[in-house]
């Protein structure tokens, strides 16, 4: 009964969704409702309405005072109340008040609870706090709405404070935030994908990643200004697009399209929120600002940074992932010539050694880049292999054969102990000439992109683990830092190497640490942090001296989202749109997991559950009728398996090299029951 009553109350409080609930004058083009609904909906952080209010009030010393709405009275110069939205949000705030006296009302914003008070955390690039917005209090009753240009893209806490030379008392009776992200969606909860497992922490992490990506989907007119403003912050720059929504790096900052970040963000967007249109718009900006040499921007307008081979190649890989997911042949057609130019731009950097020689040495933040670097070579390998698939889809089989051949030469070269492979250590050196470190990025990508020999993957995966401390995996190539981007690559790398429990443990260790941190947003994926647990990602490396500059909602840190779908639930697409697919679950230490996503062809989902007596599992799946796929399920070698498909015993083959049973199946909804002794 109690549950029933609560449900009724909640429904009554939520304003009806209407066309007006998209951002400002944006036309609503998003989905009306979620593709999948079920018990996992309770993990979805996205609010049911675009207009939200703080959940509670804290004192200036961050002590809990009360819920909100409830009386919130500021009195006298320097008085502060902190309003907690209880999760990451972003947009335009309106404060309604009744006042006695005169002076100014200050508004300051922060993602972390560590920096509440009269100064906002840092987003403007000065590596010092952004300051505050001020409203003149002139009337007895009034309201203040922050100017659009002062939009705050990512925060959890809003500090309101008074400055007065005489006396001022302010009764804050309403605060409303109009959410600016995911601008074309009237229903912010209408995800195309879902995830649900027997592990509560993983469920929360998956939805925190999905929500992070949503907060990174913005109207391209609300980017961060550049050159950096000299006072406070400004988020009214155009990001080089006339579309309605694009993907930026982080919701607070930089609010700019950074192409390398797409390498992790795009696969995760495609299987979670399912905002394919936003991905396409973002890739279109890359093509629109491509140089005549073929080079893609590292960061789009207004930053307009170039000179990064790794980011250039990440764009090309993300482009492949988008086409594979959507079968958007129209986009392939209109961009194919530019894509080929982009390929030429990097292929010509492969020298007589067969290795890629990186000259565009800007990268994600690693201490150095350039030359025959391992990370850059693994990106080049994947660019060629994914380019080969694209060439096939574009009807150019000759090109496909050509790029495959270049890829295999490069793979042989990078794996040679004379070049990048460190045989005595059992992992890749940073480059052919630098054995001082064995990088997290290059080694993770070697696993993720099949860039090494099968008999080396176990050693690489084990060596990566030696960088772990008790809160995450520190990157040797950016000492004393734990980076959400490279850790995402590592998670996927362990899964590609079939080290599933290790991958899940890293997700729990690093993303779990942040999500359970009392100073965090409790709802998003942080850009990175220092190995000692302070939030100052890169603050110790001379890049910034301000711990508060770190972004707490950064798409490049959302690797667990695609990893849990593609490897743990185990669904991947093997031809554009998913006419063919593979279902290869990895159990790790879980009892059960399920999940799915949507493509223009239809909905893809699977659910597995292990038998408690450890003698088999059920695996159900529901794929588009006109599709077919390869099911591959780990079964201990030497055991005799019985496979029952929809109550009928079926034949299967056993692949000894991966210790898995395999069978081809058609689309539709089916259940496999697999038992072994
Ligand atoms: C008001 O408080 C601020 C700090 O909150 C302080 O800097 C300022 O000097 C105070 N002004 C007066 C008139 O006391
Ligand atoms: C507040 O009032 C002062 C004095 O009238 C004025 O100079 C200032 O521009 C006003 N600030 C805002 C934000 O309106
Ligand atoms: C101020 O607004 C409050 C809340 O809407 C209302 O109760 C009160 O009557 C208003 N006071 C004046 C002076 O308008
Ligand atoms: C307080 O007085 C100082 C000095 O006249 C002035 O600069 C400041 O703007 C005043 N503050 C407020 C909040 O009115
Ligand atoms: C950022 O904002 C602060 C506070 O207004 C200001 O002191 C600083 O100069 C600004 N930095 C830049 C680079 O504009
Ligand atoms: C794009 O499609 C048109 C019409 O089908 C075709 O003529 C053209 O060759 C295609 N271009 C590419 C690059 O595939
Ligand atoms: C990995 O690459 C080799 C060629 O080097 C290829 O034969 C193999 O099929 C690839 N494995 C996967 C899983 O793609
Ligand atoms: C690893 O596999 C390669 C072929 O893929 C083979 O040439 C090599 O001898 C193997 N190395 C070991 C140590 O087994
Ligand atoms: C996060 O939010 C959940 C749900 O409100 C709460 O139970 C949990 O204590 C919060 N965790 C932190 C670290 O704030
Ligand atoms: C909170 O801020 C203090 C003071 O700047 C700093 O020492 C501490 O490391 C910060 N905590 C985190 C988690 O960043
Ligand atoms: C294990 O449990 C399943 C269902 O719970 C049952 O069908 C099966 O016979 C059991 N196997 C063994 C070996 O006990």
């Amino acid at each position: 009964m109690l549950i029933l009553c609560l449900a009724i109350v909640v429904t009554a409080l939520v304003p009806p969704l209407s066309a007006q609930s998209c951002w400002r004058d944006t036309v609503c083009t998003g989905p009306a409702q979620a593709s999948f609904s079920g018990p996992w909906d309770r993990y979805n952080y996205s609010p049911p309405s675009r207009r939200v209010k703080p959940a509670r009030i804290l004192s200036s010393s961050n002590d809990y005072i009360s819920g909100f709405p409830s009386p919130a009275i500021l009195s006298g110069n320097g008085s502060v109340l902190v309003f907690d939205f209880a999760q990451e949000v972003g947009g335009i705030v309106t404060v309604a008040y009744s006042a006695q006296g005169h002076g100014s009302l200050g508004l300051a914003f922060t993602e972390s609870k560590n920096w509440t008070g009269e100064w906002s955390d840092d987003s403007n690039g000065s590596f010092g706090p952004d300051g505050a917005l001020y409203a003149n209090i002139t009337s007895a009753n009034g309201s203040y709405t922050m100017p659009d240009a002062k939009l705050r893209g990512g925060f959890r806490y809003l500090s309101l404070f008074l400055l007065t030379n005489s006396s001022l008392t302010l009764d804050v009776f309403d605060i409303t935030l109009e959410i600016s992200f995911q601008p074309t969606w009237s229903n912010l909860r209408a995800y195309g994908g879902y995830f649900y497992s027997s592990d509560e922490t993983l469920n929360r992490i998956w939805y925190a990643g999905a929500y992070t990506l949503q907060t990174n989907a913005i109207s391209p007119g609300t980017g961060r200004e550049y050159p950096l403003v000299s006072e406070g912050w400004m988020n009214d720059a155009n990001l080089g697009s006339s579309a309605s929504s694009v993907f930026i790096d982080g919701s607070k900052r930089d609010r700019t399209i950074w192409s390398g970040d797409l390498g992790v963000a795009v696969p995760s967007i495609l299987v979670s929120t399912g905002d394919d249109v936003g991905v396409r718009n973002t890739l279109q900006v890359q093509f629109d600002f491509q140089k005549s040499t073929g080079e893609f921007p590292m960061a789009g307008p207004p930053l307009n940074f170039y000179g990064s081979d790794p980011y250039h190649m990440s764009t090309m890989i993300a482009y492949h992932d988008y086409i594979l997911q959507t079968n958007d042949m129209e986009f392939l057609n209109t961009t194919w010539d530019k894509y080929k130019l982009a390929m030429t731009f990097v292929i010509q950097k492969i020298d007589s050694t067969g290795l890629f020689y990186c000259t565009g040495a800007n990268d994600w933040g690693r201490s150095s880049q350039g030359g025959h670097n391992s990370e850059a070579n693994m990106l080049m390998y994947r660019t060629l292999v994914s380019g080969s698939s694209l060439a096939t889809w574009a009807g150019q089989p000759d090109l496909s054969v050509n790029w495959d051949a270049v890829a295999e030469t490069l793979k042989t070269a990078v794996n040679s102990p004379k070049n990048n492979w460190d045989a005595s250590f059992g992992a890749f050196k940073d480059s052919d000439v630098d054995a001082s470190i064995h990088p997290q990025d290059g080694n993770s990508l070697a696993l993720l992109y099949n860039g090494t020999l099968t008999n080396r993957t176990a050693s690489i995966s084990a060596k990566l683990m030696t960088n772990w401390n008790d809160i995450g995996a520190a990157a040797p190539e950016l000492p004393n830092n734990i980076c959400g981007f490279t850790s995402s690559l590592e998670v996927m790398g362990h899964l590609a190497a079939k080290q599933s429990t290790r991958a899940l443990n890293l997700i729990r260790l690093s993303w779990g640490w942040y999500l359970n941190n009392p100073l965090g947003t409790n709802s998003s994926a942080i850009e990175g942090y220092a190995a000692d647990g302070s939030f100052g990602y890169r603050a110790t490396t001379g890049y910034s001296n301000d711990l508060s500059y770190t972004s707490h909602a950064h798409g490049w840190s959302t690797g667990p989202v695609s990893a849990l779908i593609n490897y743990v639930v185990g669904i991947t697409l093997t031809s554009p749109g998913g006419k063919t697919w593979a279902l290869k679950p990895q159990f790790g230490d879980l009892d059960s997991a399920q999940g799915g996503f949507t493509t223009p062809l239809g909905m893809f989902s699977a659910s597995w559950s292990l038998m408690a007596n450890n003698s088999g599992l059920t695996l159900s799946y529901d794929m588009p009728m006109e599709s077919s796929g390869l099911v591959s399920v780990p079964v201990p070698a030497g055991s005799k398996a019985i496979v029952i498909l929809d109550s009928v015993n079926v034949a299967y083959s056993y692949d000894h090299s991966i210790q898995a049973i395999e069978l081809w199946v058609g689309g539709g909804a089916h259940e496999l029951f697999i038992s072994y002794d």
Side-chain angles (χ1 to χ4, degrees):
M1 275 315 281
L2 182 64
I3 289 167
L4 190 65
C5 292
L6 270 177
I8 290 166
V9 170
V10 169
T11 311
L13 285 179
V14 173
L17 295 170
S18 68
Q20 277 71 48
S21 52
C22 290
W23 168 246
R24 297 294 159 88
D25 53 0
T26 307
V27 178
C28 292
T29 50
Q33 60 194 47
S35 297
F36 303 90
S37 70
W40 46 85
D41 289 336
R42 70 174 184 271
Y43 297 101
N44 189 327
Y45 292 97
S46 225
S49 164
R50 191 170 284 282
R51 284 174 188 77
V52 297
K53 296 184 191 305
R56 55 181 169 255
I57 308 173
L58 312 177
S59 70
S60 59
S61 53
N62 285 330
D63 299 322
Y64 176 83
I65 295 179
S66 73
F68 188 82
S70 68
I73 295 166
L74 288 156
S75 190
N77 186 55
S79 58
V80 182
L81 286 176
V82 180
F83 293 83
D84 177 10
F85 285 80
Q87 65 182 62
E88 178 85 0
V89 290
I92 299 285
V93 166
T94 298
V95 181
Y97 55 80
S98 83
Q100 284 178 310
H102 51 89
S104 302
L105 167 66
L107 295 80
F109 302 83
T110 173
E111 292 182 303
S112 168
K113 197 179 185 180
N114 209 26
W115 294 291
T116 61
E118 295 187 6
W119 294 269
S120 303
D121 57 10
D122 182 14
S123 81
N124 69 10
S126 65
F127 306 137
D130 277 12
L133 300 177
Y134 293 96
N136 283 343
I137 305 299
T138 51
S139 60
N141 258 19
S143 79
Y144 169 78
T145 299
M146 57 203 272
D148 279 3
K150 297 290 182 182
L151 181 150
R152 196 74 187 176
F155 65 96
R156 171 175 168 177
Y157 298 95
L158 165 65
S159 300
L160 295 185
F161 58 96
L162 297 185
L163 291 182
T164 178
N165 289 332
S166 50
S167 74
L168 177 60
T169 299
L170 203 74
D171 178 355
V172 177
F173 57 79
D174 193 27
I175 297 177
T176 306
L177 169 73
E178 183 183 7
I179 288 178
S180 54
F181 57 75
Q182 199 79 76
T184 65
W185 288 26
S186 60
N187 177 1
L188 293 170
R189 294 171 63 83
Y191 289 8
Y194 85 105
F195 175 77
Y196 188 47
S197 76
S198 51
D199 186 322
E200 182 77 9
T201 302
L202 294 181
N203 298 344
R204 287 168 58 218
I205 290 170
W206 194 89
Y207 279 94
Y211 184 60
T212 296
L213 292 163
Q214 258 195 308
T215 71
N216 291 174
I218 69 164
S219 165
T222 62
R224 186 178 73 174
E225 280 290 351
Y226 189 81
L228 303 171
V229 293
S230 59
E231 202 182 315
W233 65 94
M234 290 282 259
N235 285 320
D236 62 351
N238 192 280
L239 298 179
S241 173
S242 56
S244 300
S245 184
V246 294
F247 281 96
I248 49 161
D249 59 334
S251 49
K252 179 183 75 168
R253 61 138 269 272
D254 295 340
R255 296 185 71 78
T256 307
I257 298 170
W258 280 93
S259 58
D261 304 37
L262 301 176
V264 168
V266 165
S268 289
I269 294 162
L270 296 173
V271 299
S272 60
T273 65
D275 182 5
D276 303 347
V277 180
V279 171
R280 177 179 161 144
N281 294 340
T282 308
L283 292 169
Q284 185 64 55
V285 171
Q286 295 299 105
F287 287 108
D288 290 346
F289 291 86
Q290 184 182 27
K291 285 190 170 178
S292 59
T293 56
E295 181 183 358
F296 287 129
M298 179 191 200
L303 284 179
N304 296 311
F305 290 172
Y306 290 81
S308 174
D309 292 338
Y311 274 46
H312 174 92
M313 294 187 281
S314 295
T315 299
M316 297 179 72
I317 295 167
Y319 173 79
H320 161 272
D321 296 345
Y322 167 78
I323 300 287
L324 174 62
Q325 178 88 5
T326 59
N327 193 25
D328 186 346
M329 289 301 147
E330 183 204 321
F331 190 55
L332 181 68
N333 182 289
T334 57
T335 51
W336 181 241
D337 289 335
K338 290 186 148 214
Y339 174 88
K340 285 192 289 186
L341 193 62
M343 186 66 96
T344 304
F345 176 74
V346 276
I347 281 192
Q348 70 200 7
K349 299 190 185 196
I350 297 174
D351 63 23
S352 58
T353 62
L355 293 167
F356 179 80
Y357 192 91
C358 178
T359 54
N362 293 323
D363 206 346
W364 58 269
R366 69 193 333 282
S367 306
S368 68
Q369 177 56 281
H372 294 145
N373 174 272
S374 296
E375 177 225 17
N377 272 273
M378 294 305 163
L379 286 166
M380 183 75 242
Y381 179 67
R382 180 62 191 159
T383 300
L384 287 161
V385 171
S386 61
S388 164
S389 298
L390 286 163
T392 305
W393 305 333
Q396 293 203 253
D398 48 332
L399 214 47
S400 169
V401 170
N402 181 353
W403 290 346
D404 272 337
V406 180
E408 288 318 302
T409 309
L410 182 144
K411 185 171 177 176
T412 304
V414 75
N415 274 281
S416 166
K418 290 198 207 98
N419 295 323
N420 296 46
W421 178 249
D422 187 339
S424 60
F425 186 81
F428 286 94
K429 303 181 278 189
D430 204 35
S431 76
D432 56 343
V433 294
D434 181 5
S436 64
I437 58 158
H438 300 85
Q440 182 186 25
D441 56 7
N443 281 291
S444 299
L445 290 177
L447 299 178
L448 173 60
Y449 292 157
N450 185 28
T452 190
L453 313 176
T454 308
N455 57 17
R456 288 179 178 170
T457 60
S459 165
I460 295 172
S461 172
K463 289 295 176 188
L464 281 166
M465 254 191 101
T466 63
N467 299 322
W468 295 14
N469 66 15
D470 27 335
I471 59 169
E477 65 273 35
L478 182 60
N480 303 317
N481 281 272
I482 292 170
C483 171
F485 177 57
T486 49
S487 295
S488 288
L489 303 177
E490 182 174 339
V491 164
M492 292 185 269
H494 290 306
L495 286 162
K498 300 275 163 60
Q499 296 291 344
S500 4
T501 303
R502 191 173 284 168
L504 299 181
N505 283 339
L506 179 54
I507 296 176
R508 294 171 181 125
L509 185 69
S510 188
W511 283 263
W513 172 82
Y514 178 71
L515 212 51
N516 291 325
N517 193 310
L519 298 178
T521 63
N522 199 0
S523 58
S524 60
I526 190 169
E527 172 183 26
Y529 45 97
D532 68 5
S534 99
F535 291 147
Y537 172 64
R538 290 176 77 188
T540 54
T541 53
Y543 172 71
S544 121
N545 55 18
D546 181 7
L547 306 187
S548 83
Y549 190 61
T550 301
S551 159
H552 287 244
H554 228 63
W556 82 356
S557 303
T558 61
V561 173
S562 65
L564 290 168
I565 298 296
N566 293 331
Y567 294 96
V568 175
V569 177
I571 316 171
T572 53
L573 304 183
T574 53
S575 62
K579 271 198 101 56
T580 60
W581 40 267
L583 176 54
K584 301 182 176 180
Q586 289 190 41
F587 311 129
D589 55 4
L590 302 176
D591 297 328
S592 65
Q594 58 176 299
F597 54 82
T598 308
T599 84
L601 192 65
M603 284 153 65
F604 295 74
S605 66
S607 172
W608 55 259
S609 174
L610 302 184
M611 280 180 216
N613 59 17
N614 200 24
S615 67
L617 65 141
T618 54
L619 170 62
S620 30
Y621 56 88
D622 190 355
M623 310 294 194
M625 280 314 290
E626 58 271 42
S627 73
S628 62
L630 176 69
V631 177
S632 173
V633 179
V635 163
S639 61
K640 189 153 167 25
I642 296 170
V643 179
I644 297 168
L645 175 61
D646 301 331
S647 327
V648 178
N649 243 298
V650 290
Y652 59 87
S653 60
Y654 191 79
D655 184 336
H656 285 274
S657 68
I658 54 169
Q659 299 190 9
I661 59 161
E662 299 202 318
L663 64 157
W664 267 96
V665 297
H670 301 281
E671 185 173 79
L672 277 168
F673 178 77
I674 299 169
S675 61
Y676 39 81
D677 51 42

